[in-house]
Amino acid sequence: MSDGPALSGERALTDEHARIGELVGDRPAAWDVAGELPVDLLRTLGAGGVLCAEVPTAYGGRGADSRTNGELTAYVGSLCSSLRSIMTSQGIAASAIQRFGDRAQRKHYLTELTSGRLAAVGFSEPGAGSDLAAMRTRLRPDGDGFVLDGQKMWVTGARYADLLVVLALHGEDAAAVVVPADTPGVHIEPVADPLGCRAAGHSQIRFDQVRLPASRVLGGGGQSLSLLFTTALSYGRISVAWGCVGILRACLSAATTHARRREQSGKPLAEHQLVAGHLADLLVAERTSAHACEAASRSWDSASPDMVVAAVLAKHASAGHAARGAATAVQVLASAGSQDGHVVARAYRDAKLMEIIEGSNEICRLILSQHALDSL
Ligand SMILES: Cc1cc2nc3c(=O)[nH]c(=O)nc-3n(C[C@H](O)[C@H](O)[C@H](O)COP(=O)(O)OP(=O)(O)OC[C@H]3O[C@@H](n4cnc5c(N)ncnc54)[C@H](O)[C@@H]3O)c2cc1C
């Protein structure tokens, strides 16, 4: 269990950034090329409570508010989107357990998640991507317990996970169930050569008559599918949005540094106005994304009714800014940023995936347009 102090205030955040920066060092490029994160680092960060920093201190977490956790997420995202993806998954798992688990489940599982055990979350299926209501994975009663059958796709971090939080149909309703990854009948197959976030351990999972005790079904099950999705996705969207702010900060830093140093036609690139325009675009992208994230975090912390829309807006805006911003940064560095493993090349591939996960661009626009129609 984490023995770190509660994470609040600028000073504590700066200290935590320094600690993480030291642990990560200059290794993210090598992790990206190898397609693998060091599990001992994930366990160290997990045991420090930083992979799910919003978990209350009573459960070994850092008791951070969403904004503080967001800044931490952005910092990790500026270093390595694969590592940030693990943080998002651990945070979604923790928020689902906190929201749907009973008192004993919260104590047991949240304490595990702040002790270095790692979690991944499965909702997507071969036939249920954008249309999560088409889910087929099912939990059915069997004696004192349950049996789980089905498939999940592209589960971030499943390759490293000790626990899988799986969304499944349950009678007429749905349930979130905590499945130890080594349970007989659980088959985990890593996704080969993903476009981006290459070290995030994405995996396909098959559940083949997996027998589970009733104590693993959060809150006994019987929740509405849409409530389960909305809860998991809202946390995930805010987390991914802050991760995109991190991508933009890394791109802005690399582009400004390069534009100051590199000279062409007798002066630094930064003094060529068309290049300077790219730097301005990157700054606008980073600042506007951060503001959208801050608004979403405030809504999350105050459990405001507009939280769902604020999370979608932050994720959609930040992912678009990150995808365009990373392309802009590659443009500024040109050949200097065009090699595998370079921070802007990595950002370019990682950022594109942010427009797909936690609700694709199209799904986000549908939700936002419906909100406009309903509220104006
Ligand atoms: C890097 C990465 C990490 C992921 N991590 C996880 C994870 O941890 N856990 C998990 O469960 N899943 C995860 N996923 C899966 C992810 O949630 C799905 O990829 C996503 O929901 C989109 O589903 P799909 O890929 O099946 O695309 P589809 O749903 O087949 O969509 C294909 C295209 O059609 C568009 N489209 C679909 N329906 C509509 C519609 N009604 N109106 C307009 N346009 C539409 C989409 O926007 C998209 O452009 C991950 C995926 C990626 C790439």
Side-chain angles (χ1 to χ4, degrees):
M1 196 161 92
S2 154
D3 56 1
L7 190 59
S8 81
E10 291 296 318
R11 178 67 200 273
L13 196 56
T14 310
D15 290 350
E16 199 63 60
H17 287 184
R19 196 177 76 84
I20 294 172
E22 216 164 281
L23 285 169
V24 168
D26 61 0
R27 296 184 290 168
W31 297 338
D32 188 59
V33 172
E36 193 169 358
L37 292 168
V39 179
D40 59 338
L41 172 73
L42 301 182
R43 295 204 185 285
T44 301
L45 292 174
V50 294
L51 293 181
C52 49
E54 288 177 51
V55 169
T57 50
Y59 301 117
R62 306 295 296 274
D65 60 21
S66 175
R67 162 90 192 269
T68 304
N69 188 30
E71 284 292 349
L72 190 67
T73 306
Y75 178 68
V76 173
S78 74
L79 302 175
C80 176
S81 285
S82 291
L83 183 56
R84 194 278 309 148
S85 301
I86 299 293
M87 197 174 171
T88 296
S89 295
Q90 187 95 346
I92 297 176
S95 76
I97 290 163
Q98 217 172 318
R99 173 78 197 268
F100 298 108
D102 60 29
R103 183 192 291 249
Q105 289 169 327
R106 284 200 297 276
K107 185 167 187 329
H108 181 76
Y109 293 122
L110 292 178
T111 303
E112 287 205 62
L113 295 190
T114 56
S115 301
R117 303 259 285 164
L118 302 169
V121 184
F123 38 90
S124 309
E125 300 184 2
S130 301
D131 178 15
L132 287 172
M135 200 170 91
R136 290 287 169 269
T137 296
R138 183 168 282 283
L139 190 66
R140 56 185 167 76
D142 182 68
D144 288 348
F146 289 90
V147 170
L148 182 70
D149 279 295
Q151 263 177 284
K152 296 292 171 185
M153 299 276 291
W154 274 87
V155 178
T156 300
R159 174 175 170 187
Y160 310 117
D162 304 293
L163 300 172
L164 306 166
V165 175
V166 179
L167 271 48
L169 300 176
H170 177 229
E172 296 296 299
D173 300 301
V177 55
V178 183
V179 183
D182 59 1
T183 311
V186 176
H187 307 281
I188 300 177
E189 176 88 12
V191 172
D193 303 325
L195 169 69
C197 300
R198 287 180 175 168
H202 307 113
S203 306
Q204 324 289 28
I205 310 180
R206 212 176 72 243
F207 301 99
D208 202 357
Q209 298 201 23
V210 176
R211 304 181 74 79
L212 298 162
S215 61
R216 295 211 170 268
V217 181
L218 293 179
Q223 288 94 8
S224 93
L225 189 56
S226 67
L227 179 66
L228 286 175
F229 288 150
T230 306
T231 303
L233 289 177
S234 292
Y235 181 96
R237 283 168 178 154
I238 296 173
S239 180
V240 166
W242 278 107
C244 290
V245 170
I247 291 176
L248 286 161
R249 287 178 182 165
C251 287
L252 186 56
S253 166
T256 49
T257 302
H258 185 75
R260 271 197 207 100
R261 285 190 190 146
R262 166 95 171 149
E263 294 197 0
Q264 283 294 278
S265 307
K267 56 184 180 180
L269 292 177
E271 291 178 25
H272 294 282
Q273 288 184 337
L274 291 178
V275 177
H278 287 321
L279 302 182
D281 290 346
L282 272 166
L283 181 66
V284 170
E286 185 273 324
R287 284 290 73 213
T288 50
S289 299
H291 286 313
C293 287
E294 285 159 11
S297 280
R298 273 196 303 277
S299 296
W300 175 269
D301 283 334
S302 60
S304 159
D306 74 357
M307 184 271 290
V308 172
V309 169
V312 172
L313 198 151
K315 188 272 176 186
H316 183 51
S318 305
H321 281 312
R324 291 186 296 276
T328 299
V330 172
Q331 196 68 23
V332 171
L333 276 93
S335 61
S338 297
Q339 262 184 308
D340 219 7
H342 191 285
V343 66
V344 296
R346 220 166 6 103
Y348 183 70
R349 288 185 285 97
D350 295 342
K352 179 60 209 165
L353 297 182
M354 303 305 114
E355 296 194 306
I356 295 169
I357 60 172
E358 311 293 340
S360 64
N361 278 358
E362 290 75 12
I363 297 303
C364 289
R365 292 175 79 202
L366 287 174
I367 296 170
L368 294 171
S369 64
Q370 194 57 54
H371 176 70
L373 289 166
D374 291 346
S375 60
L376 298 174

